[in-house]
């Protein structure tokens, strides 16, 4: 993303652009001191000596230590100023260079505290000697070289190594590659207190600020990665993730002190330029997607260009590597700046606050970068430290954008909830009206069902009793007396009471066995059959195989009543067989007579048989069915009633 803007330029310039920019970059990392500096601390004058500089010199030699100068040193020492990049005098030199600082330790009395030394940077690796005593050295002084170019060194000069009556000599051995602008940064002498304070300031400017930069980058990159993972349509955040990856890898150049796993500094530098190129490409795509813009041809061309430039970096001959790196880097900068200006122009053409913020952020970062570059050339004074803070500018922008989008999303959710609430209220009112209507219809339907059930029960129960009573009266050989008439009426009253008591099916009690269940039915019909000289064969299983429900028992009871009543009314039979067979999966009733029979299909189609229709409807409510076979001399009615499931019984 653009959040670090041209910030990246200075970092890579310090490696490959040239000696002057690297020297100026080193010059800005400390206070406005030039070359070799003495830091004065008035409170320490009585405890330490006061350094006085005599000169700074440089020479090319591969000597391992100052003690070997006499045999290895051929060229004369050349006077220089710090910071220094040796390619100004030896353009294509790669190897070892020694810097020598001559100085006097002016002491009014023997010092009690040592002096301190601060080196702003060594490009690339080196070691430090004081009067032929080794103070410090990098881990790797041969390829792959250690990377001390952006690492300030705070060293203590032991009192025992100082000469108070002669010239002291500070030697700095520097190993570098001409492609990475090798040389030595600023050096400052002073008391421990003064140098420590200056070291903390330099550490902040050269390293801590970049650690914070990387933390910002990783944090925002992770946030955008999560957004993209959970909402794949947010393509812009996916490209921002790639941008963050390239940027973090590129900015790590300022903090990494070793080139591993690369075998040399040049390979690491090539990788860094490729990373910046990838960063430029991903940022451009991100900015276009953020604007909901697509430029298919330009994007394909841009991608192909990045591949070609990356391949050129790795395949270029050694003598063309330096110019190739510069060309690719400058091309990336130009593309980067043109895209930033182009995106800002597109943003200002819209009325969206988010895009205006993006445009303002891009312009702000470009302005800060321009100020920093001008400051490098001493055109605006030493204010170039604003450059690293461009990351904060873009971090603030992205935070505002995410906050705005979150607020907008929450507002949409709230509006949707309000609208949904209103719709729910309207739906509840409509549902309430519908339920009221359905409730009224249900009440009427239940009333009709109750009346129909009552009619069937009266027909099946009381009707059969009336038929039986009529038969008793009509077959009586002499007029009935009061007692007999009262008995018939009492029997009709009991049947009516039984119908009323059993009308609530849920309260019907289940008999302990089938014999007890059908005993009242047998008692009611056996006397009638005897009176009209019909022989009744009664066969009932003695126990339940599976427990039926009360509703099932009552329904079968009514069906059996209706079937036996029909025998009395229509069959003209002389013999009737009644069987109740209790099976594992159903209860089966068989009513067989030897009467005149009837045409089953004609009777069922005509609808004139109320009893038959009543029997069928009752059985259908229990998922049962009725089989009727009739011909002259035999009519067979078979009733099937499957057991209800436990869940159905519970309901």
């Amino acid at each position: 993303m653009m959040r670090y803007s041209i910030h990246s330029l200075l970092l890579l310039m310090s490696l490959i652009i040239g000696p002057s920019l690297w020297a100026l970059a080193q010059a800005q990392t400390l206070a406005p001191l030039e070359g070799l500096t003495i830091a004065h601390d008035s409170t320490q004058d009585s405890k330490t000596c006061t350094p006085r500089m005599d000169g700074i010199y440089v020479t090319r030699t591969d000597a391992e230590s100052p003690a070997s100068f006499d045999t290895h040193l051929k060229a004369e020492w050349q006077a220089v100023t710090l910071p220094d990049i040796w390619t100004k005098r030896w353009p294509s030199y790669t190897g070892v260079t020694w810097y020598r600082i001559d100085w006097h330790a002016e002491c009014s009395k023997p010092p009690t505290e040592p002096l301190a030394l601060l080196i702003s940077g060594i490009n690339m690796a080196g070691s430090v000697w004081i009067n032929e005593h080794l103070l410090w050295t990098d881990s790797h002084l041969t390829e792959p070289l250690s990377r001390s170019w952006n690492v300030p060194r705070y060293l203590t000069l032991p009192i025992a190594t100082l000469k108070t009556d002669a010239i002291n000599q500070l030697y700095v051995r520097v190993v570098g590659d001409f492609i990475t602008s090798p040389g030595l940064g600023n050096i400052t002498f002073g008391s421990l207190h003064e140098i420590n304070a200056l070291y903390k300031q330099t550490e902040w400017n050269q390293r801590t600020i970049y650690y914070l930069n990387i933390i910002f980058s990783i944090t925002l990159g992770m946030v955008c990665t999560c957004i993209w993972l959970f909402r794949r349509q947010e393509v812009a955040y996916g490209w921002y993730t790639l941008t963050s990856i390239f940027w973090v890898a590129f900015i790590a150049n300022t903090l990494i002190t070793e080139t591993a796993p690369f075998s040399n500094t040049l390979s690491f530098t090539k990788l860094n330029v490729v990373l910046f190129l990838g960063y430029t490409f991903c940022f451009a795509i991100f900015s276009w997607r953020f604007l909901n813009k697509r430029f298919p041809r330009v994007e394909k061309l841009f991608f192909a260009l990045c591949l070609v430039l990356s391949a050129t970096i790795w395949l270029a001959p050694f003598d063309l590597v330096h110019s190739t790196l510069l060309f690719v880097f400058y091309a990336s900068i130009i593309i980067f700046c043109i895209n930033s200006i182009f995106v800002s122009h597109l943003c200002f053409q819209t009325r969206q606050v988010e895009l205006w913020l993006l445009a303002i952020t891009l312009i702000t970062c470009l302005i800060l970068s321009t100020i920093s570059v001008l400051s490098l050339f001493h055109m605006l004074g030493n204010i170039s430290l604003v450059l690293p803070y461009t990351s904060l500018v873009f971090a603030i922008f992205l935070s505002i954008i995410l906050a705005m989008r979150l607020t907008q999303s929450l507002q949409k959710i709230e509006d949707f909830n309000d609208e949904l609430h209103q719709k729910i209220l309207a739906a509840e009112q409509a549902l309430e009206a519908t339920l009221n209507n359905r409730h009224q219809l249900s009440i009427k339907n239940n009333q009709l069902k109750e009346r129909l059930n009552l009619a069937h029960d009266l027909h099946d129960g009381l009707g059969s009793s009336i038929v039986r009573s009529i038969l008793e009266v009509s077959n009586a050989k002499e007029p009935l007396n009061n007692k007999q008439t009262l008995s018939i009426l009492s029997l009709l009253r009991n049947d009516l009471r039984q119908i009323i008591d059993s009308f609530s099916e849920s309260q019907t009690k289940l008999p302990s066995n089938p014999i007890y269940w059908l005993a009242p039915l047998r008692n009611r019909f056996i006397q009638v059959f005897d009176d009209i000289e019909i022989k009744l064969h009664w066969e009932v299983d003695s126990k339940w195989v599976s427990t039926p429900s009360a509703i099932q028992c009552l329904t079968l009871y009514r069906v059996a009543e209706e079937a036996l009543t029909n025998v009395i009314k229509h069959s003209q039979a002389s013999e009737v067989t009644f069987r109740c067979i209790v099976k594992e999966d159903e209860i089966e009733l068989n009513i067989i007579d030897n009467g005149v029979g009837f045409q089953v299909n004609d009777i069922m189609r005509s609808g004139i048989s109320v009893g038959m229709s009543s029997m069928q409807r009752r059985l259908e409510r229990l998922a049962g069915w009725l089989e009727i076979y009739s011909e002259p001399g035999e009519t067979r009615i078979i009733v099937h009633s499957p057991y209800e499931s436990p869940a159905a019984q519970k309901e």
Side-chain angles (χ1 to χ4, degrees), residues 66 117 156 177 275 316 329 364 465 504 569:
L117 171 69
T156 301
D177 189 318
L275 290 174
F329 180 71
T364 302
S465 298
S504 177
K569 290 165 54 177

Side-chain angles (χ1 to χ4, degrees), residues 10-27:
L10 177 59
L11 303 180
L12 198 56
M13 285 177 182
S14 63
L15 289 179
I16 64 173
I17 290 182
S20 60
L21 288 183
W22 187 85
L24 291 173
Q26 291 293 342

Side-chain angles (χ1 to χ4, degrees), residues 10-11 72 211 225 314 319 379 395 411 416 431 442 482 496 500 592 603:
L10 177 59
L11 303 180
H72 290 83
Y211 278 115
T225 300
W314 292 102
D319 55 344
M379 296 180 183
Q411 185 62 45
F416 174 77
L431 180 60
S442 178
N482 292 338
L496 180 60
I500 295 173
I592 306 170
I603 295 295

Side-chain angles (χ1 to χ4, degrees), residues 63 105 127 146 188 440-441 480 490 497 502 512 515 548 554 572 616:
S127 56
S146 297
T188 304
Q440 296 299 326
L441 293 175
L480 300 178
S490 177
R497 180 176 295 171
S502 63
S512 60
I515 296 176
L554 181 60
Q572 301 178 21
Q616 283 187 330

Side-chain angles (χ1 to χ4, degrees), residues 233-305:
Q233 60 268 36
E234 298 288 350
V235 181
Y237 291 101
W239 281 103
Y240 179 85
T241 299
L242 291 177
T243 303
S244 299
I245 292 173
F246 278 108
W247 175 253
V248 170
F250 173 74
I251 197 72
N253 165 68
T254 61
L255 302 175
I256 293 176
T257 58
E258 300 294 336
T259 61
F262 294 98
S263 60
N264 55 69
T265 304
L266 179 58
S267 298
F268 188 91
T269 304
K270 290 180 179 180
L271 174 65
N272 214 41
V273 178
V274 171
L275 290 174
F276 183 74
L277 182 62
Y279 163 76
T280 303
F281 171 76
C282 291
F283 168 76
I285 303 299
F286 157 74
S287 60
W288 299 342
R289 296 295 182 270
F290 193 85
L291 296 173
N292 293 322
K293 299 288 185 181
R294 289 182 179 273
F295 308 101
R297 294 183 180 179
V298 176
E299 292 174 11
K300 291 180 181 178
L301 179 62
F302 195 3
F303 181 70
L305 178 63

Side-chain angles (χ1 to χ4, degrees), residues 81-139:
T81 58
L82 297 181
D84 176 71
I85 295 179
W86 74 55
T87 51
K88 291 185 296 184
R89 64 186 65 84
W90 307 308
S92 300
Y93 176 64
T94 295
V96 180
T97 298
W98 281 84
Y99 288 88
R100 190 189 78 209
I101 296 92
D102 294 341
W103 58 285
H104 282 80
E106 297 181 348
C107 307
S108 58
K109 56 183 178 180
T112 58
E113 289 187 3
L115 290 171
L117 171 69
L118 176 64
I119 302 176
S120 64
I122 300 174
N123 196 7
M124 275 292 173
S127 56
V128 180
W129 303 70
I130 180 69
N131 294 328
E132 300 184 358
H133 295 279
L134 180 64
L135 288 179
W136 165 87
T137 183
D138 265 315
S139 301

